[in-house]
Amino acid sequence: MSNSTKPDKTDRDNPEWTDEMFAKAKRGTAASRVGRPKSENPKQMTTIRLSQEVLAFFKADGKGWQTRIDKALQEWVESHSR
């Protein structure tokens, strides 16, 4: 890579990459460190059909409606366990 020909236009906080910098770079290392840790008990994606009334009830309180449905179903399973 060549250096900038206009020093007054150089971004000192974000310098142009050199061939050496590219050679040392590793693909995906920054992306692999972001986000929340993997759950020991991950939820499984599925599709279910719900009545409009049930869906409206859970969505009425805003974000987290899927979690509230999951919690309600967990409580039902616990109360109906043998």
Side-chain angles (χ1 to χ4, degrees), residues 30-63:
S32 64
R33 286 184 261 134
V34 283
R36 81 174 75 157
K38 293 207 180 228
S39 172
E40 291 179 17
N41 188 17
K43 293 180 179 176
Q44 184 175 4
M45 183 180 276
T46 187
T47 302
I48 65 171
R49 294 178 183 268
L50 302 171
S51 68
Q52 292 177 3
E53 296 81 13
V54 168
L55 197 55
F57 175 84
F58 282 97
K59 282 187 167 186
D61 289 333
K63 287 184 175 183

PDB file of all heavy atoms in Angstrom, residues 30-63:
ATOM      1  N   ALA A  30     -12.614 -10.341  15.250  1.00  0.00           N
ATOM      2  CA  ALA A  30     -13.384  -9.326  15.972  1.00  0.00           C
ATOM      3  C   ALA A  30     -14.849  -9.743  16.066  1.00  0.00           C
ATOM      4  O   ALA A  30     -15.476  -9.608  17.109  1.00  0.00           O
ATOM      5  CB  ALA A  30     -13.251  -7.976  15.282  1.00  0.00           C
ATOM      6  N   ALA A  31     -15.400 -10.271  14.992  1.00  0.00           N
ATOM      7  CA  ALA A  31     -16.809 -10.653  14.985  1.00  0.00           C
ATOM      8  C   ALA A  31     -17.084 -11.825  15.915  1.00  0.00           C
ATOM      9  O   ALA A  31     -18.166 -11.942  16.477  1.00  0.00           O
ATOM     10  CB  ALA A  31     -17.249 -11.002  13.570  1.00  0.00           C
ATOM     11  N   SER A  32     -16.127 -12.687  16.118  1.00  0.00           N
ATOM     12  CA  SER A  32     -16.361 -13.857  16.955  1.00  0.00           C
ATOM     13  C   SER A  32     -16.395 -13.512  18.442  1.00  0.00           C
ATOM     14  O   SER A  32     -16.835 -14.300  19.249  1.00  0.00           O
ATOM     15  CB  SER A  32     -15.309 -14.931  16.681  1.00  0.00           C
ATOM     16  OG  SER A  32     -14.038 -14.458  17.052  1.00  0.00           O
ATOM     17  N   ARG A  33     -15.956 -12.311  18.809  1.00  0.00           N
ATOM     18  CA  ARG A  33     -15.915 -11.924  20.219  1.00  0.00           C
ATOM     19  C   ARG A  33     -17.105 -11.087  20.653  1.00  0.00           C
ATOM     20  O   ARG A  33     -17.232 -10.769  21.813  1.00  0.00           O
ATOM     21  CB  ARG A  33     -14.626 -11.158  20.500  1.00  0.00           C
ATOM     22  CG  ARG A  33     -13.411 -12.063  20.532  1.00  0.00           C
ATOM     23  CD  ARG A  33     -12.173 -11.282  20.903  1.00  0.00           C
ATOM     24  NE  ARG A  33     -11.475 -10.982  19.649  1.00  0.00           N
ATOM     25  CZ  ARG A  33     -10.981  -9.806  19.326  1.00  0.00           C
ATOM     26  NH1 ARG A  33     -11.046  -8.801  20.139  1.00  0.00           N
ATOM     27  NH2 ARG A  33     -10.383  -9.631  18.176  1.00  0.00           N
ATOM     28  N   VAL A  34     -17.974 -10.704  19.751  1.00  0.00           N
ATOM     29  CA  VAL A  34     -19.104  -9.853  20.111  1.00  0.00           C
ATOM     30  C   VAL A  34     -20.371 -10.674  20.313  1.00  0.00           C
ATOM     31  O   VAL A  34     -20.478 -11.798  19.848  1.00  0.00           O
ATOM     32  CB  VAL A  34     -19.362  -8.765  19.046  1.00  0.00           C
ATOM     33  CG1 VAL A  34     -18.386  -7.647  19.160  1.00  0.00           C
ATOM     34  CG2 VAL A  34     -19.373  -9.340  17.663  1.00  0.00           C
ATOM     35  N   GLY A  35     -21.301 -10.082  21.025  1.00  0.00           N
ATOM     36  CA  GLY A  35     -22.568 -10.755  21.278  1.00  0.00           C
ATOM     37  C   GLY A  35     -22.595 -11.414  22.635  1.00  0.00           C
ATOM     38  O   GLY A  35     -21.610 -11.439  23.361  1.00  0.00           O
ATOM     39  N   ARG A  36     -23.754 -11.931  22.974  1.00  0.00           N
ATOM     40  CA  ARG A  36     -23.872 -12.560  24.290  1.00  0.00           C
ATOM     41  C   ARG A  36     -23.335 -13.973  24.249  1.00  0.00           C
ATOM     42  O   ARG A  36     -23.305 -14.602  23.185  1.00  0.00           O
ATOM     43  CB  ARG A  36     -25.322 -12.504  24.757  1.00  0.00           C
ATOM     44  CG  ARG A  36     -26.223 -13.553  24.185  1.00  0.00           C
ATOM     45  CD  ARG A  36     -27.585 -13.488  24.811  1.00  0.00           C
ATOM     46  NE  ARG A  36     -28.313 -12.365  24.278  1.00  0.00           N
ATOM     47  CZ  ARG A  36     -29.614 -12.265  24.277  1.00  0.00           C
ATOM     48  NH1 ARG A  36     -30.349 -13.195  24.784  1.00  0.00           N
ATOM     49  NH2 ARG A  36     -30.208 -11.226  23.765  1.00  0.00           N
ATOM     50  N   PRO A  37     -22.927 -14.508  25.391  1.00  0.00           N
ATOM     51  CA  PRO A  37     -22.397 -15.874  25.427  1.00  0.00           C
ATOM     52  C   PRO A  37     -23.469 -16.891  25.054  1.00  0.00           C
ATOM     53  O   PRO A  37     -24.657 -16.654  25.265  1.00  0.00           O
ATOM     54  CB  PRO A  37     -21.965 -16.066  26.883  1.00  0.00           C
ATOM     55  CG  PRO A  37     -22.133 -14.765  27.560  1.00  0.00           C
ATOM     56  CD  PRO A  37     -22.903 -13.857  26.682  1.00  0.00           C
ATOM     57  N   LYS A  38     -23.036 -18.014  24.524  1.00  0.00           N
ATOM     58  CA  LYS A  38     -23.986 -19.065  24.157  1.00  0.00           C
ATOM     59  C   LYS A  38     -24.638 -19.633  25.402  1.00  0.00           C
ATOM     60  O   LYS A  38     -23.991 -19.867  26.414  1.00  0.00           O
ATOM     61  CB  LYS A  38     -23.275 -20.172  23.395  1.00  0.00           C
ATOM     62  CG  LYS A  38     -22.785 -19.709  22.048  1.00  0.00           C
ATOM     63  CD  LYS A  38     -22.698 -20.833  21.072  1.00  0.00           C
ATOM     64  CE  LYS A  38     -22.213 -20.285  19.759  1.00  0.00           C
ATOM     65  NZ  LYS A  38     -22.971 -20.714  18.658  1.00  0.00           N
ATOM     66  N   SER A  39     -25.945 -19.871  25.306  1.00  0.00           N
ATOM     67  CA  SER A  39     -26.712 -20.414  26.423  1.00  0.00           C
ATOM     68  C   SER A  39     -26.450 -21.905  26.573  1.00  0.00           C
ATOM     69  O   SER A  39     -26.256 -22.624  25.590  1.00  0.00           O
ATOM     70  CB  SER A  39     -28.204 -20.190  26.170  1.00  0.00           C
ATOM     71  OG  SER A  39     -28.980 -20.851  27.130  1.00  0.00           O
ATOM     72  N   GLU A  40     -26.442 -22.371  27.830  1.00  0.00           N
ATOM     73  CA  GLU A  40     -26.302 -23.807  28.075  1.00  0.00           C
ATOM     74  C   GLU A  40     -27.595 -24.531  27.719  1.00  0.00           C
ATOM     75  O   GLU A  40     -27.595 -25.733  27.479  1.00  0.00           O
ATOM     76  CB  GLU A  40     -25.950 -24.048  29.541  1.00  0.00           C
ATOM     77  CG  GLU A  40     -24.567 -23.577  29.913  1.00  0.00           C
ATOM     78  CD  GLU A  40     -24.251 -23.818  31.382  1.00  0.00           C
ATOM     79  OE1 GLU A  40     -24.950 -24.627  32.029  1.00  0.00           O
ATOM     80  OE2 GLU A  40     -23.300 -23.194  31.882  1.00  0.00           O
ATOM     81  N   ASN A  41     -28.702 -23.794  27.720  1.00  0.00           N
ATOM     82  CA  ASN A  41     -30.009 -24.372  27.417  1.00  0.00           C
ATOM     83  C   ASN A  41     -30.709 -23.475  26.385  1.00  0.00           C
ATOM     84  O   ASN A  41     -31.653 -22.770  26.714  1.00  0.00           O
ATOM     85  CB  ASN A  41     -30.841 -24.473  28.708  1.00  0.00           C
ATOM     86  CG  ASN A  41     -32.120 -25.237  28.496  1.00  0.00           C
ATOM     87  OD1 ASN A  41     -32.280 -25.947  27.518  1.00  0.00           O
ATOM     88  ND2 ASN A  41     -33.051 -25.070  29.413  1.00  0.00           N
ATOM     89  N   PRO A  42     -30.241 -23.506  25.122  1.00  0.00           N
ATOM     90  CA  PRO A  42     -30.791 -22.590  24.123  1.00  0.00           C
ATOM     91  C   PRO A  42     -32.240 -22.925  23.759  1.00  0.00           C
ATOM     92  O   PRO A  42     -32.674 -24.074  23.819  1.00  0.00           O
ATOM     93  CB  PRO A  42     -29.875 -22.802  22.915  1.00  0.00           C
ATOM     94  CG  PRO A  42     -29.336 -24.170  23.077  1.00  0.00           C
ATOM     95  CD  PRO A  42     -29.238 -24.405  24.557  1.00  0.00           C
ATOM     96  N   LYS A  43     -32.977 -21.886  23.427  1.00  0.00           N
ATOM     97  CA  LYS A  43     -34.353 -22.083  22.978  1.00  0.00           C
ATOM     98  C   LYS A  43     -34.324 -22.592  21.541  1.00  0.00           C
ATOM     99  O   LYS A  43     -33.390 -22.334  20.789  1.00  0.00           O
ATOM    100  CB  LYS A  43     -35.123 -20.772  23.061  1.00  0.00           C
ATOM    101  CG  LYS A  43     -35.313 -20.307  24.492  1.00  0.00           C
ATOM    102  CD  LYS A  43     -36.073 -19.014  24.538  1.00  0.00           C
ATOM    103  CE  LYS A  43     -36.265 -18.580  25.975  1.00  0.00           C
ATOM    104  NZ  LYS A  43     -36.917 -17.279  26.063  1.00  0.00           N
ATOM    105  N   GLN A  44     -35.360 -23.294  21.182  1.00  0.00           N
ATOM    106  CA  GLN A  44     -35.448 -23.855  19.836  1.00  0.00           C
ATOM    107  C   GLN A  44     -36.469 -23.066  19.041  1.00  0.00           C
ATOM    108  O   GLN A  44     -37.577 -22.800  19.519  1.00  0.00           O
ATOM    109  CB  GLN A  44     -35.881 -25.326  19.909  1.00  0.00           C
ATOM    110  CG  GLN A  44     -35.909 -25.996  18.569  1.00  0.00           C
ATOM    111  CD  GLN A  44     -36.215 -27.483  18.686  1.00  0.00           C
ATOM    112  OE1 GLN A  44     -36.481 -27.983  19.765  1.00  0.00           O
ATOM    113  NE2 GLN A  44     -36.180 -28.172  17.582  1.00  0.00           N
ATOM    114  N   MET A  45     -36.083 -22.662  17.838  1.00  0.00           N
ATOM    115  CA  MET A  45     -36.992 -21.917  16.987  1.00  0.00           C
ATOM    116  C   MET A  45     -38.062 -22.853  16.426  1.00  0.00           C
ATOM    117  O   MET A  45     -37.763 -23.982  16.023  1.00  0.00           O
ATOM    118  CB  MET A  45     -36.244 -21.246  15.836  1.00  0.00           C
ATOM    119  CG  MET A  45     -37.142 -20.400  14.968  1.00  0.00           C
ATOM    120  SD  MET A  45     -36.265 -19.614  13.622  1.00  0.00           S
ATOM    121  CE  MET A  45     -35.654 -18.185  14.479  1.00  0.00           C
ATOM    122  N   THR A  46     -39.295 -22.368  16.448  1.00  0.00           N
ATOM    123  CA  THR A  46     -40.404 -23.144  15.919  1.00  0.00           C
ATOM    124  C   THR A  46     -41.467 -22.197  15.396  1.00  0.00           C
ATOM    125  O   THR A  46     -41.369 -20.979  15.568  1.00  0.00           O
ATOM    126  CB  THR A  46     -40.999 -24.074  17.003  1.00  0.00           C
ATOM    127  OG1 THR A  46     -41.961 -24.935  16.398  1.00  0.00           O
ATOM    128  CG2 THR A  46     -41.656 -23.286  18.118  1.00  0.00           C
ATOM    129  N   THR A  47     -42.469 -22.730  14.758  1.00  0.00           N
ATOM    130  CA  THR A  47     -43.595 -21.936  14.290  1.00  0.00           C
ATOM    131  C   THR A  47     -44.862 -22.524  14.883  1.00  0.00           C
ATOM    132  O   THR A  47     -45.081 -23.733  14.799  1.00  0.00           O
ATOM    133  CB  THR A  47     -43.691 -21.987  12.746  1.00  0.00           C
ATOM    134  OG1 THR A  47     -42.462 -21.500  12.207  1.00  0.00           O
ATOM    135  CG2 THR A  47     -44.842 -21.158  12.235  1.00  0.00           C
ATOM    136  N   ILE A  48     -45.666 -21.669  15.527  1.00  0.00           N
ATOM    137  CA  ILE A  48     -46.959 -22.126  16.044  1.00  0.00           C
ATOM    138  C   ILE A  48     -48.028 -21.125  15.625  1.00  0.00           C
ATOM    139  O   ILE A  48     -47.739 -19.958  15.369  1.00  0.00           O
ATOM    140  CB  ILE A  48     -46.971 -22.308  17.580  1.00  0.00           C
ATOM    141  CG1 ILE A  48     -46.787 -20.975  18.301  1.00  0.00           C
ATOM    142  CG2 ILE A  48     -45.906 -23.276  18.020  1.00  0.00           C
ATOM    143  CD1 ILE A  48     -47.013 -21.061  19.798  1.00  0.00           C
ATOM    144  N   ARG A  49     -49.247 -21.585  15.572  1.00  0.00           N
ATOM    145  CA  ARG A  49     -50.369 -20.709  15.236  1.00  0.00           C
ATOM    146  C   ARG A  49     -51.105 -20.380  16.521  1.00  0.00           C
ATOM    147  O   ARG A  49     -51.474 -21.271  17.279  1.00  0.00           O
ATOM    148  CB  ARG A  49     -51.306 -21.383  14.246  1.00  0.00           C
ATOM    149  CG  ARG A  49     -50.650 -21.608  12.899  1.00  0.00           C
ATOM    150  CD  ARG A  49     -51.606 -22.335  11.948  1.00  0.00           C
ATOM    151  NE  ARG A  49     -50.953 -22.610  10.702  1.00  0.00           N
ATOM    152  CZ  ARG A  49     -50.987 -21.795   9.641  1.00  0.00           C
ATOM    153  NH1 ARG A  49     -51.647 -20.668   9.714  1.00  0.00           N
ATOM    154  NH2 ARG A  49     -50.360 -22.115   8.537  1.00  0.00           N
ATOM    155  N   LEU A  50     -51.294 -19.088  16.778  1.00  0.00           N
ATOM    156  CA  LEU A  50     -51.980 -18.621  17.972  1.00  0.00           C
ATOM    157  C   LEU A  50     -53.201 -17.816  17.557  1.00  0.00           C
ATOM    158  O   LEU A  50     -53.203 -17.168  16.512  1.00  0.00           O
ATOM    159  CB  LEU A  50     -51.048 -17.745  18.814  1.00  0.00           C
ATOM    160  CG  LEU A  50     -49.741 -18.380  19.269  1.00  0.00           C
ATOM    161  CD1 LEU A  50     -48.835 -17.331  19.900  1.00  0.00           C
ATOM    162  CD2 LEU A  50     -50.012 -19.500  20.246  1.00  0.00           C
ATOM    163  N   SER A  51     -54.212 -17.823  18.410  1.00  0.00           N
ATOM    164  CA  SER A  51     -55.391 -17.009  18.114  1.00  0.00           C
ATOM    165  C   SER A  51     -55.010 -15.538  18.182  1.00  0.00           C
ATOM    166  O   SER A  51     -54.060 -15.153  18.872  1.00  0.00           O
ATOM    167  CB  SER A  51     -56.516 -17.305  19.108  1.00  0.00           C
ATOM    168  OG  SER A  51     -56.163 -16.840  20.390  1.00  0.00           O
ATOM    169  N   GLN A  52     -55.777 -14.719  17.486  1.00  0.00           N
ATOM    170  CA  GLN A  52     -55.500 -13.282  17.471  1.00  0.00           C
ATOM    171  C   GLN A  52     -55.607 -12.698  18.874  1.00  0.00           C
ATOM    172  O   GLN A  52     -54.836 -11.812  19.242  1.00  0.00           O
ATOM    173  CB  GLN A  52     -56.475 -12.573  16.528  1.00  0.00           C
ATOM    174  CG  GLN A  52     -56.267 -12.928  15.082  1.00  0.00           C
ATOM    175  CD  GLN A  52     -57.298 -12.279  14.161  1.00  0.00           C
ATOM    176  OE1 GLN A  52     -58.156 -11.508  14.602  1.00  0.00           O
ATOM    177  NE2 GLN A  52     -57.213 -12.591  12.887  1.00  0.00           N
ATOM    178  N   GLU A  53     -56.534 -13.209  19.669  1.00  0.00           N
ATOM    179  CA  GLU A  53     -56.728 -12.696  21.024  1.00  0.00           C
ATOM    180  C   GLU A  53     -55.516 -12.986  21.906  1.00  0.00           C
ATOM    181  O   GLU A  53     -55.068 -12.130  22.666  1.00  0.00           O
ATOM    182  CB  GLU A  53     -57.986 -13.301  21.662  1.00  0.00           C
ATOM    183  CG  GLU A  53     -59.283 -12.940  20.968  1.00  0.00           C
ATOM    184  CD  GLU A  53     -59.593 -13.787  19.731  1.00  0.00           C
ATOM    185  OE1 GLU A  53     -58.934 -14.832  19.528  1.00  0.00           O
ATOM    186  OE2 GLU A  53     -60.480 -13.394  18.951  1.00  0.00           O
ATOM    187  N   VAL A  54     -54.984 -14.207  21.815  1.00  0.00           N
ATOM    188  CA  VAL A  54     -53.817 -14.584  22.616  1.00  0.00           C
ATOM    189  C   VAL A  54     -52.613 -13.734  22.212  1.00  0.00           C
ATOM    190  O   VAL A  54     -51.905 -13.183  23.058  1.00  0.00           O
ATOM    191  CB  VAL A  54     -53.500 -16.096  22.469  1.00  0.00           C
ATOM    192  CG1 VAL A  54     -52.143 -16.438  23.061  1.00  0.00           C
ATOM    193  CG2 VAL A  54     -54.602 -16.916  23.102  1.00  0.00           C
ATOM    194  N   LEU A  55     -52.392 -13.608  20.932  1.00  0.00           N
ATOM    195  CA  LEU A  55     -51.262 -12.830  20.439  1.00  0.00           C
ATOM    196  C   LEU A  55     -51.393 -11.362  20.847  1.00  0.00           C
ATOM    197  O   LEU A  55     -50.416 -10.755  21.327  1.00  0.00           O
ATOM    198  CB  LEU A  55     -51.164 -12.963  18.917  1.00  0.00           C
ATOM    199  CG  LEU A  55     -49.856 -12.565  18.280  1.00  0.00           C
ATOM    200  CD1 LEU A  55     -48.679 -13.306  18.892  1.00  0.00           C
ATOM    201  CD2 LEU A  55     -49.901 -12.811  16.790  1.00  0.00           C
ATOM    202  N   ALA A  56     -52.564 -10.787  20.714  1.00  0.00           N
ATOM    203  CA  ALA A  56     -52.786  -9.387  21.098  1.00  0.00           C
ATOM    204  C   ALA A  56     -52.537  -9.190  22.588  1.00  0.00           C
ATOM    205  O   ALA A  56     -51.956  -8.187  23.007  1.00  0.00           O
ATOM    206  CB  ALA A  56     -54.197  -8.957  20.727  1.00  0.00           C
ATOM    207  N   PHE A  57     -52.967 -10.152  23.415  1.00  0.00           N
ATOM    208  CA  PHE A  57     -52.774 -10.071  24.858  1.00  0.00           C
ATOM    209  C   PHE A  57     -51.295  -9.991  25.214  1.00  0.00           C
ATOM    210  O   PHE A  57     -50.871  -9.141  25.993  1.00  0.00           O
ATOM    211  CB  PHE A  57     -53.420 -11.283  25.543  1.00  0.00           C
ATOM    212  CG  PHE A  57     -53.176 -11.335  27.026  1.00  0.00           C
ATOM    213  CD1 PHE A  57     -53.972 -10.625  27.898  1.00  0.00           C
ATOM    214  CD2 PHE A  57     -52.136 -12.094  27.549  1.00  0.00           C
ATOM    215  CE1 PHE A  57     -53.744 -10.665  29.272  1.00  0.00           C
ATOM    216  CE2 PHE A  57     -51.894 -12.150  28.905  1.00  0.00           C
ATOM    217  CZ  PHE A  57     -52.705 -11.425  29.773  1.00  0.00           C
ATOM    218  N   PHE A  58     -50.490 -10.878  24.637  1.00  0.00           N
ATOM    219  CA  PHE A  58     -49.069 -10.909  24.972  1.00  0.00           C
ATOM    220  C   PHE A  58     -48.303  -9.742  24.346  1.00  0.00           C
ATOM    221  O   PHE A  58     -47.347  -9.237  24.934  1.00  0.00           O
ATOM    222  CB  PHE A  58     -48.445 -12.246  24.569  1.00  0.00           C
ATOM    223  CG  PHE A  58     -48.767 -13.347  25.541  1.00  0.00           C
ATOM    224  CD1 PHE A  58     -49.814 -14.224  25.300  1.00  0.00           C
ATOM    225  CD2 PHE A  58     -48.040 -13.503  26.706  1.00  0.00           C
ATOM    226  CE1 PHE A  58     -50.120 -15.236  26.205  1.00  0.00           C
ATOM    227  CE2 PHE A  58     -48.336 -14.507  27.615  1.00  0.00           C
ATOM    228  CZ  PHE A  58     -49.382 -15.370  27.364  1.00  0.00           C
ATOM    229  N   LYS A  59     -48.713  -9.283  23.168  1.00  0.00           N
ATOM    230  CA  LYS A  59     -48.021  -8.169  22.516  1.00  0.00           C
ATOM    231  C   LYS A  59     -48.391  -6.823  23.134  1.00  0.00           C
ATOM    232  O   LYS A  59     -47.663  -5.844  22.967  1.00  0.00           O
ATOM    233  CB  LYS A  59     -48.345  -8.140  21.024  1.00  0.00           C
ATOM    234  CG  LYS A  59     -47.583  -9.171  20.215  1.00  0.00           C
ATOM    235  CD  LYS A  59     -47.842  -8.953  18.738  1.00  0.00           C
ATOM    236  CE  LYS A  59     -46.882  -9.746  17.888  1.00  0.00           C
ATOM    237  NZ  LYS A  59     -47.026  -9.439  16.458  1.00  0.00           N
ATOM    238  N   ALA A  60     -49.501  -6.769  23.879  1.00  0.00           N
ATOM    239  CA  ALA A  60     -49.979  -5.500  24.445  1.00  0.00           C
ATOM    240  C   ALA A  60     -48.956  -4.858  25.376  1.00  0.00           C
ATOM    241  O   ALA A  60     -48.915  -3.632  25.503  1.00  0.00           O
ATOM    242  CB  ALA A  60     -51.300  -5.720  25.181  1.00  0.00           C
ATOM    243  N   ASP A  61     -48.130  -5.645  26.033  1.00  0.00           N
ATOM    244  CA  ASP A  61     -47.132  -5.102  26.953  1.00  0.00           C
ATOM    245  C   ASP A  61     -45.817  -4.765  26.259  1.00  0.00           C
ATOM    246  O   ASP A  61     -44.842  -4.409  26.917  1.00  0.00           O
ATOM    247  CB  ASP A  61     -46.880  -6.080  28.108  1.00  0.00           C
ATOM    248  CG  ASP A  61     -48.068  -6.139  29.052  1.00  0.00           C
ATOM    249  OD1 ASP A  61     -48.814  -5.148  29.137  1.00  0.00           O
ATOM    250  OD2 ASP A  61     -48.249  -7.185  29.703  1.00  0.00           O
ATOM    251  N   GLY A  62     -45.742  -4.904  24.953  1.00  0.00           N
ATOM    252  CA  GLY A  62     -44.547  -4.505  24.202  1.00  0.00           C
ATOM    253  C   GLY A  62     -43.509  -5.607  24.061  1.00  0.00           C
ATOM    254  O   GLY A  62     -43.836  -6.794  24.056  1.00  0.00           O
ATOM    255  N   LYS A  63     -42.241  -5.162  23.966  1.00  0.00           N
ATOM    256  CA  LYS A  63     -41.138  -6.096  23.746  1.00  0.00           C
ATOM    257  C   LYS A  63     -41.133  -7.200  24.791  1.00  0.00           C
ATOM    258  O   LYS A  63     -41.511  -6.983  25.931  1.00  0.00           O
ATOM    259  CB  LYS A  63     -39.799  -5.367  23.806  1.00  0.00           C
ATOM    260  CG  LYS A  63     -39.513  -4.511  22.613  1.00  0.00           C
ATOM    261  CD  LYS A  63     -38.116  -3.917  22.718  1.00  0.00           C
ATOM    262  CE  LYS A  63     -37.768  -3.150  21.457  1.00  0.00           C
ATOM    263  NZ  LYS A  63     -36.408  -2.626  21.506  1.00  0.00           N
TER     264      LYS A  63
END
